[in-house]
């Protein structure tokens, strides 16, 4: 359903398992960034009621995910570690079109968000299927379902801005680009890298 072009190397999950505390902290910051992105979209596109309405709900939900991950970190006996740079997200940002019509830029922003949700969802699924700890598996399975819904939301919003064929063609370009950059990241030190 996610249509990602490159499946995550299963070795990423085993490295991630060994670095539980680091992965959970990185995950918490991903949720915070998802909430911040939703808020930025509200500020920038205040004159688009659908974006304002959907992003307000999303920001609240992502912040509640942040809270859940932070309490889970405590439950597992770890502490929240400082935020680290996410080179995966930085590379994706470079693919957003520069100049051109504002609708094209907005669609790119929405597609980038859809892609991050899709990849997070894919990785949560991998973790929920491969980790030995049943409690952690349940935790990731629940979050996976929410992120899958967010992926669909961003694609739907993009298709409401520009014609569907145009959005879908651009989505294929995003998928190709993401597959290309993902090959450089498999360290297992973060949700996306
Ligand atoms: Fe989330
Ligand atoms: Fe999300």
């Amino acid at each position: 359903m996610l249509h990602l072009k490159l499946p995550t190397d299963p070795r990423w999950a085993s490295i991630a398992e060994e670095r539980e505390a680091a992965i959970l902290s990185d995950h918490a910051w991903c949720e915070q960034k998802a909430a911040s992105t939703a808020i930025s979209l509200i500020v920038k596109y205040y004159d688009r009621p659908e974006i304002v309405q959907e992003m307000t709900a999303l920001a609240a939900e992502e912040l509640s995910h942040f809270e859940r991950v932070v309490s889970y970190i405590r439950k597992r006996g770890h502490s929240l570690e400082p935020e680290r740079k996410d080179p995966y997200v930085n590379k994706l940002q470079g693919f957003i079109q520069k100049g051109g019509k504002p609708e094209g830029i907005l669609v790119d922003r929405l597609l980038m968000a859809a892609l991050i949700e899709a990849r997070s969802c894919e990785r949560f699924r991998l973790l929920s299927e491969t980790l030995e700890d049943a409690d952690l598996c349940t935790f990731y399975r629940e979050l996976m379902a929410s992120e899958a819904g967010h992926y669909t939301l961003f694609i739907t919003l993009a298709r409401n801005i520009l014609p569907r064929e145009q959005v879908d063609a651009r989505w294929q370009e995003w998928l190709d680009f993401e597959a290309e950059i993902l090959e450089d990241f498999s360290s297992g030190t973060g949700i996306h890298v």
Side-chain angles (χ1 to χ4, degrees):
M1 160 237 163
L2 296 168
H3 309 297
L4 295 167
K5 300 239 164 148
L6 187 73
T8 292
D9 185 334
R11 281 173 301 178
W12 172 85
S14 51
I15 303 168
E17 186 164 27
E18 288 164 20
R19 299 174 182 171
E20 179 184 303
I23 286 284
L24 282 169
S25 277
D26 188 59
H27 178 181
W29 293 119
C30 287
E31 302 291 1
Q32 172 269 318
K33 277 175 243 175
S36 299
T37 299
I39 293 169
S40 317
L41 288 168
I42 295 169
V43 175
K44 177 99 184 144
Y45 300 102
Y46 65 90
D47 54 349
R48 290 183 178 269
E50 193 186 19
I51 297 279
V52 172
Q53 187 184 327
E54 297 293 351
M55 290 303 106
T56 302
L58 185 67
E61 193 187 343
E62 298 291 19
L63 206 58
S64 80
H65 288 174
F66 176 76
E67 187 190 22
R68 272 191 73 178
V69 183
V70 170
S71 14
Y72 198 71
I73 287 172
R74 275 198 301 270
K75 184 183 161 195
R76 304 284 294 185
H78 309 302
S79 332
L80 181 63
E81 295 174 7
E83 189 202 356
R84 290 178 312 156
K85 285 200 169 70
D86 190 334
Y88 168 82
V89 171
N90 289 345
K91 286 233 172 164
L92 287 181
Q93 252 151 5
F95 199 65
I96 292 181
Q97 71 172 70
K98 319 262 177 315
K101 291 204 171 124
E103 287 79 11
I105 297 171
L106 171 55
V107 162
D108 263 0
R109 287 196 169 133
L110 296 170
L111 293 182
M112 177 180 153
L115 201 42
I116 295 173
E117 296 286 359
R119 183 58 74 186
S120 305
C121 178
E122 189 243 6
R123 295 211 157 174
F124 292 165
R125 182 173 59 205
L126 186 62
L127 290 172
S128 76
E129 286 169 357
T130 54
L131 296 183
E132 301 227 335
D133 188 297
D135 196 42
L136 258 181
C137 288
T138 310
F139 175 74
Y140 281 117
R141 199 172 309 115
E142 286 171 15
L143 286 169
M144 176 191 88
S146 304
E147 308 312 347
H150 299 164
Y151 151 77
T152 311
L153 169 68
F154 280 116
I155 297 280
T156 306
L157 289 173
R159 286 173 176 165
N160 290 344
I161 305 288
L162 285 176
R164 185 179 176 135
E165 315 75 65
Q166 208 176 322
V167 170
D168 291 358
R170 182 61 176 157
W171 177 238
Q172 290 305 313
E173 291 174 3
W174 272 100
L175 288 172
D176 288 337
F177 179 71
E178 199 257 359
E180 228 172 80
I181 64 167
L182 197 75
E183 283 193 285
D184 301 336
F185 303 123
S186 56
S187 64
T189 52
I191 289 294
H192 298 122
V193 296

